[in-house]
Amino acid sequence: METSGETLTTRQAEILHFIHLHIEQLGYPPTLREIANKMDIRGISAVRKHLDALVRKGHLIRRKGARALDAESLLPSTVPVPVLGRVVAGIPVNATENRLDTIAIDPSWLPSGPVFLLRVKGDSMKQAAILDGDYVLVRAKETAEEGAIVVAEIDGETTVKRLRKKGGRLILAPENPDYNEIPVAEGSAFRIVGTVCGLFRPSLEGSH
Amino acid sequence: METSGETLTTRQAEILHFIHLHIEQLGYPPTLREIANKMDIRGISAVRKHLDALVRKGHLIRRKGARALDAESLLPSTVPVPVLGRVVAGIPVNATENRLDTIAIDPSWLPSGPVFLLRVKGDSMKQAAILDGDYVLVRAKETAEEGAIVVAEIDGETTVKRLRKKGGRLILAPENPDYNEIPVAEGSAFRIVGTVCGLFRPSLEGSH
DNA sequence: TTTTAAGGTGAACAAATGATCACCTTAGCA
DNA sequence: TGCTAAGGTGATCATTTGTTCACCTTAAAA
């Protein structure tokens, strides 16, 4: 995601940095005079020239009015993704219950459609490089192809397994020899909640 | 992350929503008159009263000056993290060269201090659940404890391995029996770039 | 040597903006 | 019945803000 065309001078980069900082800290852009103060510039015409340069080089958008500086549209935005605790009846992505938290995810790491995050318990998917405590990114859908890693609900339990077929019957296959396959019995309460399409492992440090 | 104290009236929620929308689309907050226009209000005093109510109820921060509305500090923010290609001399976190991309990461998944993302090549850390194509989150520092997973540069090559000691000498240990340990020879060009403190695996779907 | 771009100073000025005051309407509540 | 909160109208006014123009300095390029 390249934003720039030409490269910035040191001074221009300093000013752009201050604008970003101001927006981050206060929630809105600075005025020309506020920029002049912080940069130790006495006349605001100099500031104006810098802004013109930043606009020309594609790092800033200016519109009419006070503080009408847009430096954020050119930065990556994010999508808030809910972290669900238990996954129960219905597609629960928009439900407030069971929502433990909301994490911002970069859109380039998201598929289209409804998604949610789920914290993995246990190491039954160890061989698929999914560990206890990892967050899996789940695309909410009721169907899945054979071979996909799915989040499924079976007999009231929510689990992350690989979906396989054996002798014409669906099974939920772990990726760890210490665990047993879970056959999907004829009359069992079985439902696919979604497919695992990403993985996040924060605070990995200290594991060994 | 609860932001509100008291609940908003319908009108107040409408106005707050417009403010958020304006910031999202244009990068800066609206003026009182811009709010009045969109809300079909003729006098700005009415807008002022609504803003006062939003401030009182904890949904907005106001400061002196035009467009000085901060509605974003009360929403989850993100931190832009650079994705580096090659990791070469110096701490390159702020260098524009080698920067392939910038990804927004939720601060709750970040440690303090300078970090960057690095795409993993090869499956030498397979047993540590780090696969080819994964992005590792690296805390940039020049030292690491034994047992930590590190990004290190040795003889011009950048690699992700576990840092171990064997017979009083450092080694870079893979987590895959198919790979050999890399001993750190006395006079070799060896440098620790950082420690792996997180992992991201987008577009996992389709792997089996 | 001249030219050009980056960076800066200073001042005048029109437009945009928020503050403030007085007054109005409606609905719920005591 | 009177009171109060939410919501609104209209107008005045001081301040802030961006625009514009003329001119200066310095260093690199032609």
Side-chain angles (χ1 to χ4, degrees):
Chain A
M1 196 185 289
E2 267 301 326
T3 57
S4 70
E6 303 171 55
T7 41
L8 300 178
T9 65
T10 313
R11 200 70 172 131
Q12 288 163 4
E14 278 175 18
I15 287 173
L16 182 61
H17 179 250
F18 170 67
I19 295 172
H20 277 134
L21 210 69
H22 192 283
I23 294 174
E24 191 185 316
Q25 292 177 348
L26 298 175
Y28 50 88
T31 63
L32 298 205
R33 282 175 179 84
E34 284 168 349
I35 297 173
N37 280 339
K38 286 287 170 184
M39 293 292 132
D40 284 313
I41 297 174
R42 258 160 289 277
I44 52 169
S45 346
V47 176
R48 195 187 197 289
K49 287 180 194 169
H50 285 128
L51 296 188
D52 286 345
L54 288 170
V55 169
R56 175 164 35 85
K57 296 184 180 178
H59 293 262
L60 200 64
I61 297 171
R62 281 198 84 191
R63 296 194 183 80
K64 283 179 187 171
R67 299 186 200 271
L69 308 179
D70 184 0
E72 303 294 84
S73 296
L74 307 165
L75 288 176
S77 61
T78 54
V79 180
V81 177
V83 181
L84 301 183
R86 292 166 305 150
V87 181
V88 279
I91 297 179
V93 177
N94 293 316
T96 320
E97 359 272 306
N98 301 328
R99 182 176 298 195
L100 300 179
D101 205 350
T102 301
I103 299 285
I105 307 271
D106 195 283
S108 68
W109 282 356
L110 288 178
S112 58
V115 290
F116 61 91
L117 286 162
L118 189 68
R119 191 143 203 200
V120 175
K121 287 173 199 153
D123 56 352
S124 68
M125 295 300 284
K126 198 178 172 185
Q127 307 290 312
I130 300 176
L131 304 183
D132 183 61
D134 286 0
Y135 291 84
V136 283
L137 181 66
V138 185
R139 185 210 299 253
K141 48 189 262 203
E142 313 242 317
T143 57
E145 298 194 359
E146 195 193 339
I149 298 176
V150 299
V151 173
E153 197 193 355
I154 185 162
D155 299 324
E157 287 277 318
T158 302
T159 184
V160 178
K161 294 286 182 297
R162 195 178 295 277
L163 187 68
R164 291 212 180 280
K165 245 179 217 171
K166 211 171 200 176
R169 177 164 289 173
L170 286 176
I171 60 169
L172 292 173
E175 298 253 334
N176 184 337
D178 301 342
Y179 287 76
N180 294 322
E181 292 178 345
I182 304 173
V184 179
E186 279 293 323
S188 65
F190 173 72
R191 192 173 64 88
I192 290 173
V193 177
T195 56
V196 173
C197 60
L199 180 137
F200 300 94
R201 185 182 304 150
S203 62
L204 185 143
E205 219 157 24
S207 72
H208 55 100
Chain B
M1 196 183 288
E2 270 301 327
T3 58
S4 70
E6 302 172 54
T7 42
L8 301 178
T9 65
T10 312
R11 200 70 173 131
Q12 287 164 4
E14 278 175 17
I15 287 173
L16 181 60
H17 178 250
F18 170 67
I19 294 172
H20 276 134
L21 210 68
H22 192 283
I23 294 174
E24 191 185 316
Q25 292 177 348
L26 298 175
Y28 50 87
T31 63
L32 297 205
R33 282 174 179 84
E34 285 168 348
I35 297 173
N37 280 341
K38 286 287 170 184
M39 293 291 131
D40 284 313
I41 297 173
R42 257 160 288 276
I44 53 167
S45 348
V47 175
R48 197 187 195 290
K49 286 181 193 168
H50 284 129
L51 295 188
D52 285 345
L54 288 171
V55 169
R56 175 163 35 83
K57 295 182 181 179
H59 293 262
L60 200 64
I61 296 170
R62 280 199 85 190
R63 296 195 183 82
K64 281 180 188 173
R67 300 186 200 269
L69 309 178
D70 184 2
E72 304 293 84
S73 295
L74 310 165
L75 290 174
S77 63
T78 54
V79 180
V81 177
V83 181
L84 301 183
R86 292 167 305 151
V87 182
V88 278
I91 297 179
V93 177
N94 294 315
T96 320
E97 356 275 303
N98 302 326
R99 182 175 299 193
L100 300 180
D101 205 350
T102 302
I103 299 286
I105 306 273
D106 196 283
S108 69
W109 282 356
L110 287 179
S112 58
V115 291
F116 62 92
L117 287 161
L118 189 67
R119 191 143 204 201
V120 175
K121 287 173 200 154
D123 54 353
S124 68
M125 295 300 285
K126 198 176 172 185
Q127 308 288 312
I130 299 176
L131 303 183
D132 182 60
D134 286 0
Y135 290 84
V136 283
L137 181 66
V138 184
R139 184 209 298 250
K141 47 190 260 204
E142 312 242 318
T143 57
E145 297 193 2
E146 195 193 337
I149 298 176
V150 299
V151 173
E153 198 192 353
I154 184 162
D155 297 325
E157 287 276 316
T158 302
T159 185
V160 178
K161 294 286 181 300
R162 197 178 293 280
L163 188 69
R164 291 211 180 282
K165 245 180 217 172
K166 210 172 200 176
R169 177 164 291 174
L170 286 176
I171 59 169
L172 294 172
E175 298 255 331
N176 184 337
D178 300 342
Y179 287 75
N180 293 323
E181 293 177 345
I182 303 173
V184 178
E186 279 294 325
S188 65
F190 173 72
R191 192 173 64 90
I192 291 173
V193 177
T195 56
V196 173
C197 61
L199 181 137
F200 301 93
R201 186 181 302 151
S203 61
L204 185 143
E205 219 158 24
S207 72
H208 54 99

